[in-house]
Amino acid sequence: MNQIGQPEEEPGMSFLDHLEELRWHLIRAVLAVVIAATIAFFLKSFIFDVILFGPSKGNFWSYNMLCRLSNFFGVDGGFCFEEFPFTIQSRTMGGQFSAHIWTSITAGFIIAFPFIMYEFWKFVAPAMHESERKHAKGFIFVTSILFFIGVIFGYYVVTPLSINFLGKYKVSEIVLNEFDLSDYIGLVRTTVIASGLIFELPILIYFLTKIGLVTPKFLITYRKYALVIVLILSAVITPPDIVSQIIVAVPILILYEVSIIISKLIFKREIEIKS
């Protein structure tokens, strides 16, 4: 820290120097993804047979739990079954190899996520005050935990609900459900990654509040609109029953409320610093 309380920076750091620094952080992050993806590439049987194709089997853990939950509430959610009425196939010459490559990259990104956040933190930390760095020491841990919780939620909740609905949906008994491998994996991959990123909402609100783009009043004012959006989203990605919609909507609404609390704390701290 210098005498006027500004964060210290390395002397002589120009805009191009910062770009060079960013480039090396990105290179290290990408290298971490590549290494993790390479490991995932050689774990093909486990990743595909156990993880990816797990939600396509009737004995998957989530379906058993949702079946019990549906029975408890006395509703028919369509979760009690032995197998799905669809098959997964590859219709292109390089379809399976392409799926193997992209799945490995996705797995590499998920595994290397904490290191990616570490490199991001190392890049932005020098621009922060010492007090800010002190309060944000748990950034990597909290960000990674939220991301992994989101990935687990997407895999064990959102993905099974989506596959259960889309896998059984028919416009006519004449039409057979024979899904392409890339479509199935794309659904699982997109759902899992999107859920992981959605669970980063409190972190996003933290930074947006610090730079003044979001205030607690703004979040509270538009809470009702956020509720409507979440309910619509949960209705779109889940079967048309209230139990499934609540299962998806509740965690996201909790994240929104946590984001409001975080915004209040940061907003109050920023006012105290300025005063």
Side-chain angles (χ1 to χ4, degrees), residues 48 52-53 87-103 106 178-191:
F48 279 88
L52 277 178
F53 295 139
T87 58
I88 302 173
Q89 55 186 333
S90 179
R91 302 186 181 183
T92 59
M93 184 68 72
Q96 295 196 51
F97 181 73
S98 177
H100 192 186
I101 293 294
W102 283 108
T103 298
T106 302
E178 298 178 345
F179 304 132
D180 190 74
L181 177 64
S182 61
D183 289 337
Y184 174 84
I185 292 179
L187 172 65
V188 178
R189 179 173 59 233
T190 302
T191 302

Side-chain angles (χ1 to χ4, degrees), residues 60-122:
F60 188 59
W61 180 85
S62 298
Y63 300 129
N64 293 330
M65 294 302 297
L66 291 171
C67 175
R68 296 176 184 176
L69 190 62
S70 298
N71 292 334
F72 178 80
F73 284 100
V75 297
D76 183 16
F79 300 113
C80 303
F81 58 93
E82 294 184 359
E83 61 179 305
F84 278 106
F86 67 78
T87 58
I88 302 173
Q89 55 186 333
S90 179
R91 302 186 181 183
T92 59
M93 184 68 72
Q96 295 196 51
F97 181 73
S98 177
H100 192 186
I101 293 294
W102 283 108
T103 298
S104 299
I105 294 174
T106 302
F109 173 79
I110 294 174
I111 296 171
F113 187 81
F115 186 80
I116 295 173
M117 288 297 100
Y118 170 72
E119 288 297 331
F120 171 75
W121 175 248
K122 283 184 64 178

Side-chain angles (χ1 to χ4, degrees), residues 11-26:
M13 287 281 286
S14 65
F15 176 72
L16 293 179
D17 291 330
H18 283 293
L19 286 181
E20 177 68 12
E21 186 71 15
L22 175 62
R23 185 174 76 92
W24 281 107
H25 285 298
L26 291 176

